[in-house]
């Protein structure tokens, strides 16, 4: 099964170039304070990343945009390798919000439909 994935790598400082894991992965790099609105067939998301006091925070939402029996997910890891977790919106039109923080200045977020 082919998965559509958008990877967003965020850090307080500019990041070095990243190498995608597969041909169908788009890597978007940004810095703290940036806003992102990735979409893939069947899913959409938006989030803002902020950094303050040695912590990074990701606030946003994910939405299932297609009645296909699949769900849209935002998932990822923090800069230290610990799990961001998964926020899943399953069912056409369903939207889930998230607001997560962690120590550090980096978060790697992905949008997929599975």
């Amino acid at each position: 099964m082919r998965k559509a994935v958008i990877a967003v790598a965020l850090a307080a400082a500019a990041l070095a170039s990243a190498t995608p894991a597969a041909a169908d992965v788009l890597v978007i790099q940004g810095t703290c304070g940036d806003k992102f609105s990735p979409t893939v067939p069947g899913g959409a998301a938006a989030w803002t990343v902020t950094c303050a006091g040695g912590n990074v925070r990701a606030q946003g939402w994910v939405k299932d945009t297609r009645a296909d029996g699949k769900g849209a997910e935002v998932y990822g890891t923090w800069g230290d390798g610990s799990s961001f977790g998964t926020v899943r919106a399953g069912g056409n039109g369903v939207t889930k919000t998230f607001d997560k923080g962690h120590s550090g200045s980096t978060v790697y977020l992905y949008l997929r439909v599975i």
Side-chain angles (χ1 to χ4, degrees):
M1 171 195 331
R2 183 175 171 164
K3 293 184 239 177
V5 179
I6 298 247
V8 179
L10 304 158
L15 298 173
S17 64
T19 303
D24 61 349
V25 175
L26 170 63
V27 177
I28 304 168
Q29 298 180 344
T31 62
C32 293
D34 284 349
K35 296 180 181 187
F36 298 89
S37 300
T39 61
V40 294
W47 58 80
T48 300
V49 175
T50 55
C51 300
N55 294 303
V56 60
R57 182 175 178 185
Q59 296 173 278
W61 55 266
V62 59
K63 181 177 182 178
D64 185 340
T65 62
R66 187 179 285 172
D68 57 7
K70 299 177 182 178
E73 296 180 344
V74 169
Y75 68 102
T77 60
W78 300 103
D80 64 4
S82 61
S83 178
F84 176 86
T86 300
V87 182
R88 180 179 174 82
N92 187 30
V94 172
T95 301
K96 298 288 181 174
T97 61
F98 57 90
D99 183 351
K100 297 185 179 198
H102 193 76
S103 63
S105 61
T106 307
V107 62
Y108 302 95
L109 297 178
Y110 305 84
L111 170 62
R112 67 182 174 192
V113 173
I114 57 171

